[in-house]
Amino acid sequence: MTRSWWMTAQLILFAAVLAVPAVCRAVDLGISSDTIVRVYERDDRNGRGRSLLPVYEFMRIDYGSVTTPGLSLHAYGWGRLDLRDSHEDGDAEGDLLYAYLEYIDPDRDHQVRIGRQYLFEGVMRESFDGLYARTELVPTVALSAFAGMPVGAGSAAGRSGDLIYGARIVQGQRGRYDAGISYKYVANDGSRSEELLGADLSLILPAGISLFGHSTLNLLTGGWGEHSYEARIPFASMEFRPFYQRYRYSDYLNDRSGASRPFRFQTALGDRVEIAGAEGFWYPAESVEFGGRYKYLTYDRRFGNAHMATALATVRRGIFSEAGLEFGRVQGDLAENRYYLGRGYLYGDFTPWFATGDVTYVRYDRAIYGENSALFVSAGLGRKMPDPALSLKLSVDYSNDPYFHKDYRGTLAVTYAFRR
């Protein structure tokens, strides 16, 4: 099965659904478009300058009722055209991120999706072309399964021999707990590329206390790739969230040929990372939030250990206006992991105008490439047009850090959101 065949099939499916609106109970059409023009002027540490003028278009279409079960179609894609200079990978690029037809039965007990789709369920966190189905076997037990071709697999031999399938079964009671077991198998060019088995749990306890967690076992290496667990403990106007995460890159990342995961080079380092810490939030008023966060990171080989502590404050006005401050300290074994971090941001809604601002400053204990600080500044101004579906925003960014001497960026964003 070739890529062009599959894309053609999805386009035919898309057109067929648009042509038969009566299939849906209550047909809604939603179209959103984000056109972004960016200007980059960048000088790196070697004195080389680059000037880029890329134009991006992100378009999303939803057809069918979004409030009631039934038949619906969803598509989202992007494209890029460089008007000046070029990226290393070409002047134009684009991709279809998802395009699938979905059916949900009136009682929401059964769900079917066909087409290109993202699936975040159990150990499945990938994009694939194929079929997904979910059904409730009994009121407390649900089974889901999927099969198709992985989108991100390498293509040394085209898509021939590429395959992905898996399933998840979950038992639970709404508002009390869910416990699931999931499995995923991936083949690339006919060879077994990835095989995972996972368990996940969510548990709601008295007094509003909740627990969430999941673990993943790599069946190719025989090792645990990931453990991630978190608790949320409310008390009066405060909430406390302790957490623990553990990753072993050689078991967590797929380093097989054609694997789609980024950072798979990390598997060669054989590192194990443990992150333990907690977050706390205090809400003295509806529009005011104070918080603190602490993490202790342990790398058993490459980066050593590091403490990270931050404090933050946020003030909101109305629904859309917000301003915040954050200050933190990272104290690590390596020089590049010892620094102070400060950040301030705002989003102001003064209908029909709106404004954004963001300043981030990092002060290193020891200079990196001759620089002991990094600065990022961003300011933007936008306006919602008389047609509420259309808005314009112009923003300017500046950054200077140990890796890029000066970096100027300008962005013009035109957003259009239509629904009927």
Side-chain angles (χ1 to χ4, degrees):
M1 184 181 295
T2 65
R3 184 184 182 89
S4 60
W5 184 95
W6 179 253
M7 294 292 292
T8 302
Q10 290 183 99
L11 291 174
I12 293 174
L13 183 65
F14 188 91
V17 173
L18 290 178
V20 190
V23 175
C24 303
R25 288 182 171 182
V27 176
D28 293 326
L29 174 62
I31 300 175
S32 65
S33 167
D34 292 285
T35 303
I36 300 173
V37 182
R38 285 180 172 155
V39 180
Y40 294 87
E41 295 289 343
R42 171 175 294 175
D43 293 333
D44 64 21
R45 289 292 163 194
N46 298 319
R48 295 173 300 189
R50 296 199 67 185
S51 177
L52 302 174
L53 185 60
V55 178
Y56 295 87
E57 170 63 26
F58 298 84
M59 178 167 286
R60 171 178 169 176
I61 299 175
D62 298 289
Y63 188 71
S65 175
V66 297
T67 57
T68 60
L71 190 65
S72 62
L73 187 144
H74 310 271
Y76 185 51
W78 67 275
R80 188 203 75 223
L81 177 64
D82 289 326
L83 302 182
R84 185 198 306 166
D85 207 333
S86 65
H87 286 74
E88 295 178 354
D89 50 358
D91 294 336
E93 192 178 8
D95 200 2
L96 183 64
L97 299 178
Y98 63 76
Y100 61 88
L101 182 66
E102 181 178 58
Y103 176 77
I104 301 176
D105 82 299
D107 296 327
R108 298 183 182 273
D109 293 334
H110 311 288
Q111 178 185 12
V112 177
R113 290 203 302 253
I114 184 170
R116 174 164 296 186
Q117 55 194 288
Y118 282 98
L119 183 59
F120 296 93
E121 187 176 270
V123 295
M124 182 62 183
R125 302 162 196 170
E126 288 192 28
S127 174
F128 71 101
D129 294 324
L131 178 68
Y132 167 84
R134 182 183 183 280
T135 185
E136 288 196 5
L137 301 176
V138 296
T140 59
V141 179
L143 174 66
S144 60
F146 62 91
M149 292 179 293
V151 173
S155 57
R159 304 195 82 184
S160 176
D162 295 351
L163 174 66
I164 184 170
Y165 64 82
R168 177 175 181 258
I169 186 167
V170 58
Q171 197 276 329
Q173 292 186 5
R174 190 183 303 274
R176 293 188 175 183
Y177 73 92
D178 283 315
I181 300 292
S182 55
Y183 170 81
K184 179 178 74 170
Y185 176 89
V186 180
N188 181 44
D189 297 335
S191 300
R192 188 172 69 155
S193 174
E194 187 175 18
E195 191 170 8
L196 301 177
L197 180 65
D200 58 88
L201 172 70
S202 63
L203 181 62
I204 307 300
L205 299 173
I209 298 173
S210 53
L211 300 172
F212 306 92
H214 60 270
S215 294
T216 302
L217 177 65
N218 189 325
L219 298 179
L220 292 184
T221 64
W224 290 98
E226 177 186 13
H227 298 289
S228 180
Y229 292 86
E230 174 187 345
R232 297 183 181 182
I233 306 171
F235 177 74
S237 59
M238 296 180 285
E239 185 173 77
F240 182 60
R241 302 176 184 176
F243 58 84
Y244 173 78
Q245 298 167 328
R246 179 182 180 277
Y247 305 91
R248 182 184 289 277
Y249 289 145
S250 58
D251 301 314
Y252 178 64
L253 302 173
N254 182 7
D255 64 346
R256 300 298 196 274
S257 175
S260 61
R261 290 183 182 278
F263 312 115
R264 60 177 181 271
F265 64 89
Q266 295 273 17
T267 58
L269 304 176
D271 227 342
R272 185 186 69 224
V273 182
E274 291 185 84
I275 306 170
E279 297 175 324
F281 298 93
W282 176 39
Y283 309 96
E286 184 177 357
S287 59
V288 179
E289 174 185 332
F290 295 101
R293 182 180 298 117
Y294 170 77
K295 290 182 179 181
Y296 180 64
L297 301 95
T298 303
Y299 295 84
D300 69 339
R301 295 192 179 184
R302 191 181 184 195
F303 298 111
N305 304 327
H307 301 267
M308 176 184 293
T310 59
L312 58 89
T314 303
V315 178
R316 300 181 179 86
R317 185 179 70 86
I319 299 177
F320 299 110
S321 295
E322 179 176 323
L325 292 173
E326 183 174 6
F327 177 77
R329 168 69 183 176
V330 175
Q331 182 70 36
D333 291 343
L334 303 182
E336 57 264 39
N337 287 338
R338 291 197 290 270
Y339 57 86
Y340 291 96
L341 168 69
R343 181 186 177 224
Y345 71 93
L346 66 87
Y347 183 90
D349 182 31
F350 314 100
T351 304
W353 296 90
F354 58 93
T356 62
D358 197 321
V359 178
T360 301
Y361 180 75
V362 176
R363 181 74 179 184
Y364 300 100
D365 288 10
R366 181 186 299 178
I368 301 174
Y369 298 120
E371 294 285 341
N372 55 14
S373 65
L375 175 66
F376 171 79
V377 180
S378 177
L381 180 66
R383 190 179 193 281
K384 300 172 185 175
M385 306 306 288
D387 179 352
L390 181 64
S391 66
L392 304 176
K393 179 187 175 185
L394 178 65
S395 63
V396 179
D397 302 339
Y398 167 80
S399 65
N400 189 353
D401 58 51
Y403 307 100
F404 292 100
H405 181 56
K406 292 180 180 178
D407 194 355
Y408 297 96
R409 282 167 288 180
T411 302
L412 173 63
V414 180
T415 300
Y416 179 76
F418 168 82
R419 181 166 293 280
R420 71 173 185 181

